[in-house]
Amino acid sequence: MTMNDIESRLPAPPETPLALPETPWRLLLRRYLKSRTGAIAALLLLVLIVAAVGAPLFAPQDPYDLTKVSIMEAEHAPGTRSSDQGMTYLLGTDGAGRDMFSAILYGLRISLGIGVASALVALAIGTAVGLLAAYAGGKTDAILMRLVDVQLSVPTILVALVLLAVLGQGVDKTLMALVLVQWAIFARNVRGAALVERGKDYVEAALGQGLPAHRIMLRHVLPNCMAPVIVTTTNQMASAITLEATMSFLGIGLPQTKPSLGLLISNGFDYMLSNQYWISVFPGLALVLLVVSISLIGDRLRIALNPKLDA
C-alpha cells in the first residue's frame, strides 16, 4: 500500500471557517467590548433608548391625556392598585394622579431627544468652525478662536439661564440655548485635531495634486479627526441632558406640557418632606442611569479609539 493510498483513506480535515475581514468598525467594537463596564453601560443605554422610543407602547397610561388621569389617584404609593382596579401603579403616582412609570418613560423620551439633537447640531456648527479655523489660519483663526475663548470663559449654566430667561420656555428655545453653549467645545477640539492632521504628509501631497481645499478638509482631514469628535459628542450628549434637567428643575426649561426628567424631579421636590419620595426619587434615578451610561460609554470609547490606552 502506497503513501497515497493511506492518505486517501484518512478523513478529510475539517474546514476552518473563513475569518471575517477586520474592518475599522469591527476592530473598534472588539476593543470596546474588552471592558465589562463598557458593555453593561451600552446595554443599559440600549434598554433606555428602547423604553424611550417605545414609550407609547410600554407605558400603561398616557400621563398627559386628561381623559385618563384622575386627581383622585394622586399621591398613591408604589404598588398601589387604581380605584377601578384597572392597573397597578408600579412606581406610584404624582400630585396630579399620573402614573410615575409612564411619566418617566415619556420624560426619558424628551430628555434623550433634546440631548441627542442639541449635541448633533452643535457638532455640525463646531466642526465647520473648527475646520475653517484650522485650514484658514491667520486672522480668521485668531478671530474664530477668540470667539470660542469668550464662549468657554463663561459658565455654561449661566449662559443657558440668561438665554432662556430672554427667550422664554419651549422645546425649540431650549435646543437653541444648549447648542449655543456647546458649539465652542466642538470647535476647539476639531481645530486642535485638524491642525495636527494638516501638518502631515498626505495633506501636502493632496495640495501638490491641486485638490480643492474643501475636498482636502472634508474627505481627508475630517475622517482622521473622528476619534476625538466621537468621544466629545458622547460626553456632550450627557452634558446636554444634565444641563436641560437643571434648567427644567429651576423652572425655565421645558413647559409643563413637555416634562422631561428634570421637570418631573422638580414637580416631586415639594413632596419630599411629606415622605412621598417616589415622585422625585424615581425620575432622579432614571436621569442618573441615563447620564452615567452615556458617560461610561464615552470614557470607554476614548480608550478604545486610542491604541496606546487600549494596550
Side-chain angles (χ1 to χ4, degrees):
M1 182 178 294
T2 63
M3 183 63 67
N4 292 334
D5 294 335
I6 296 175
E7 291 179 353
S8 63
R9 295 184 180 183
L10 292 175
E15 295 184 0
T16 57
L18 296 177
L20 294 175
E22 188 76 316
T23 63
W25 291 107
R26 187 172 288 113
L27 178 61
L28 174 61
L29 179 62
R30 182 167 58 81
R31 286 177 176 173
Y32 180 89
L33 293 178
K34 285 182 179 179
S35 170
R36 181 177 299 178
T37 302
I40 294 174
L43 180 60
L44 175 59
L45 181 60
L46 179 62
V47 171
L48 293 175
I49 291 175
V50 171
V53 174
L57 300 176
F58 302 137
Q61 176 195 80
D62 184 351
Y64 310 112
D65 185 354
L66 297 180
T67 63
K68 298 180 180 179
V69 177
S70 173
I71 192 65
M72 302 301 294
E73 302 291 326
E75 304 173 20
H76 285 337
T80 304
R81 292 189 63 84
S82 62
S83 57
D84 58 2
Q85 302 298 314
M87 62 178 294
T88 300
Y89 301 117
L90 296 177
L91 302 181
T93 60
D94 63 4
R98 296 177 297 191
D99 175 42
M100 287 304 303
F101 178 70
S102 303
I104 289 173
L105 292 183
Y106 278 84
L108 268 174
R109 197 179 197 186
I110 296 173
S111 295
L112 191 58
I114 289 179
V116 172
S118 62
L120 292 180
V121 175
L123 167 65
I125 297 174
T127 299
V129 173
L131 287 177
L132 177 60
Y135 187 82
K139 291 184 178 180
T140 303
D141 182 23
I143 293 173
L144 292 177
M145 288 301 102
R146 295 301 76 75
L147 291 175
V148 170
D149 290 339
V150 170
Q151 174 71 58
L152 295 178
S153 65
V154 183
T156 56
I157 183 64
L158 179 60
V159 176
L161 289 175
V162 172
L163 288 173
L164 286 178
V166 174
L167 299 175
Q169 291 183 324
V171 176
D172 54 342
K173 298 178 179 64
T174 303
L175 280 173
M176 186 184 304
L178 292 174
V179 170
L180 288 176
V181 300
Q182 286 183 304
W183 71 271
I185 299 174
F186 289 101
R188 172 70 72 185
N189 290 342
V190 171
R191 173 186 176 271
L195 284 176
V196 174
E197 296 297 324
R198 192 175 184 275
K200 293 186 177 179
D201 293 338
Y202 73 88
V203 176
E204 297 297 330
L207 289 171
Q209 294 178 358
L211 296 180
H214 69 274
R215 182 175 179 182
I216 295 175
M217 298 304 290
L218 296 178
R219 297 284 299 274
H220 300 282
V221 174
L222 181 58
N224 290 304
C225 300
M226 289 308 296
V229 170
I230 291 174
V231 176
T232 303
T233 303
T234 307
N235 292 331
Q236 286 306 116
M237 286 181 183
S239 177
I241 292 172
T242 305
L243 184 57
E244 181 278 321
T246 302
M247 294 185 296
S248 295
F249 182 84
L250 296 175
I252 61 171
L254 299 178
Q256 290 287 343
T257 55
K258 296 287 184 181
S260 64
L261 293 176
L263 192 54
L264 292 176
I265 297 171
S266 177
N267 291 338
F269 185 74
D270 293 336
Y271 294 91
M272 293 291 289
L273 297 178
S274 303
N275 201 29
Q276 295 164 337
Y277 63 90
W278 60 88
I279 303 178
S280 186
V281 168
F282 288 140
L285 290 176
L287 179 63
V288 169
L289 291 176
L290 179 61
V291 173
V292 168
S293 63
I294 296 176
S295 299
L296 289 176
I297 290 173
D299 184 67
R300 182 56 196 167
L301 284 174
R302 179 182 61 85
I303 297 175
L305 288 168
N306 191 337
K308 295 180 180 180
L309 297 177
D310 191 52

